[in-house]
Amino acid sequence: MATTMANEGTEGDPDVSRIAARIDQLIKENFKSEKIYYLARLGIELGEDRLILEKRTGKKLGHFIRENFDYEIGTGGQHKNVLYLIAPGASAGIATAAPPRYVPRFWAAFA
């Protein structure tokens, strides 16, 4: 069972520690109702904190989560570039449907 696990490297910078705690909170809140959590959505919800995190750590959000949390990360999409976190106890194959912006019907509305 995957659980969050803060890395000691986040403790040196108060902003990074605060953002890591916020990431943990957002992930746990999402997993109360969903089985997956797209990293793109997490980045949007973090807003300016995502930019601060990347600037202070020199790492993209996905890389930071891989190093500092114990969640399984799945990949999807045609080019395997859609990253998502998998809820503890959920199967890795649960994200068979594309996120809404990749659904052809969505893009047909703009044609």
Side-chain angles (χ1 to χ4, degrees):
M1 177 177 183
T3 57
T4 57
M5 180 171 56
N7 189 334
E8 292 178 15
T10 64
E11 294 175 9
D13 186 327
D15 279 337
V16 173
S17 295
R18 175 187 59 79
I19 295 167
R22 185 166 175 226
I23 289 170
D24 188 38
Q25 177 188 11
L26 288 169
I27 292 170
K28 287 178 180 177
E29 286 176 16
N30 180 79
F31 285 159
K32 288 179 183 177
S33 60
E34 302 288 331
K35 300 269 187 220
I36 60 172
Y37 192 21
Y38 289 100
L39 259 59
R41 186 170 138 209
L42 174 59
I44 290 168
E45 290 176 355
L46 285 172
E48 189 70 25
D49 279 345
R50 181 188 60 82
L51 299 174
I52 294 169
L53 178 72
E54 290 177 0
K55 184 176 181 181
R56 298 277 175 94
T57 64
K59 299 173 186 167
K60 293 288 190 182
L61 180 59
H63 189 78
F64 179 81
I65 289 176
R66 278 187 179 109
E67 286 188 353
N68 294 284
F69 295 92
D70 190 22
Y71 286 109
E72 184 178 355
I73 297 181
T75 58
Q78 181 179 2
H79 302 288
K80 301 292 184 200
N81 61 348
V82 178
L83 302 176
Y84 55 90
L85 299 170
I86 302 168
S91 168
I94 61 170
T96 55
R101 68 181 191 180
Y102 296 107
V103 175
R105 286 186 312 173
F106 174 81
W107 292 107
F110 297 101

